[in-house]
Amino acid sequence: TTEPPSVPVIPEGGGVWIAGEGGVTLFTPPGTYTSIAVGSIAAADMVVSDYAGGYVTQVGNELFWFRADGSDPSPIEIGADGMRMTLMDVADIDGETWVIVVVRSGAEENARESVRLAALGTGVVRQITDVGAGEGGMSRVSYGGGVFALTFLSEGESWIEYVDIDGNPIDVFPNPKPYEQWGPPYVDQAVLSPDGKLLAFLSADSNLTYDPSVTTELVVWDVEVVGNI
């Protein structure tokens, strides 16, 4: 049997989890790092903090929760057997910690994507929204202040949509949609602050997916005030 990896103590200053070929790595100030192999798995696809000293990671099409106490990792079931899933984030929603996952099903031209939540500790699963994805889909899902920000990419275009905890659309202003007077031509990876008052995203003059050499900017918008800061 493979011994489960230990979870390093995160210093008061915080740290950043990075997924990679060797598992996951915790970078902490002032420039130190700790590498952790995810059991016998050689690579991790995505890792996010659980905001309690541990982390959640995606390995292939499976999710695992590594607690800060060093106990055995717990698999996270999302009800996505036979479907492709992507770990997006971990968020505190109404006092409970939830894992945010996008589940994709169906052939490319008829594909659908749903945003699902899995509660750490209880295993409760909720579906927030289900949409047609076609050959595009959601590149990022973030939660803050009772709102989900969904970043969509499709056929060289991108946009951000907002829904509430029940999946109902919300018209949040400002919303940096492409080609509008006050929005950049291309946006990606939109992330809300925990209180939902700030929105950070990547901005570019053309599609990041098809032209990785494009110069990008990290932009922060005040959701309650028109313009960036």
Side-chain angles (χ1 to χ4, degrees):
T1 61
T2 301
E3 290 294 325
S6 59
V7 178
V9 176
I10 300 178
E12 189 172 328
V16 177
W17 292 103
I18 304 293
E21 293 184 358
V24 299
T25 301
L26 173 64
F27 287 85
T28 55
T32 60
Y33 66 91
T34 303
S35 294
I36 310 163
V38 184
S40 59
I41 304 298
D45 300 299
M46 177 70 171
V47 60
V48 289
S49 169
D50 68 356
Y51 299 103
Y55 61 93
V56 174
T57 188
Q58 178 172 356
V59 179
N61 209 42
E62 298 180 288
L63 302 175
F64 298 94
W65 178 26
F66 290 81
R67 296 174 175 84
D69 62 10
S71 57
D72 290 351
S74 303
I76 300 172
E77 300 297 334
I78 202 74
D81 292 344
M83 294 179 279
R84 191 174 74 196
M85 63 181 176
T86 305
L87 173 63
M88 290 289 174
D89 211 344
V90 172
D92 183 303
I93 303 175
D94 297 331
E96 191 168 9
T97 305
W98 296 81
V99 179
I100 305 174
V101 178
V102 169
V103 175
R104 187 179 182 91
S105 61
E108 290 303 314
E109 62 274 13
N110 297 312
R112 298 193 66 81
E113 288 188 341
S114 62
V115 176
R116 300 186 189 180
L117 307 180
L120 288 180
T122 67
V124 173
V125 175
R126 298 179 55 181
Q127 180 166 297
I128 300 302
T129 186
D130 180 86
V131 297
E135 296 183 358
M138 286 177 266
S139 66
R140 192 72 163 91
V141 177
S142 175
Y143 173 87
V147 175
F148 290 91
L150 317 177
T151 306
F152 287 88
L153 308 180
S154 181
E155 298 180 350
E157 296 185 359
S158 65
W159 65 94
I160 302 170
E161 295 181 5
Y162 301 87
V163 297
D164 63 18
I165 192 65
D166 296 315
N168 301 311
I170 299 174
D171 185 14
V172 176
F173 187 85
N175 182 357
K177 295 177 182 177
Y179 308 115
E180 292 193 354
Q181 182 177 1
W182 41 269
Y186 194 81
V187 297
D188 199 1
Q189 302 296 315
V191 177
L192 286 163
S193 60
D195 60 9
K197 294 182 179 180
L198 297 176
L199 177 74
F201 59 92
L202 295 178
S203 168
D205 290 332
S206 62
N207 193 324
L208 302 175
T209 303
Y210 298 103
D211 188 356
S213 65
V214 171
T215 300
T216 62
E217 294 181 318
L218 176 61
V219 180
V220 179
W221 285 70
D222 187 329
V223 177
E224 298 179 332
V225 179
V226 178
N228 55 35
I229 58 175

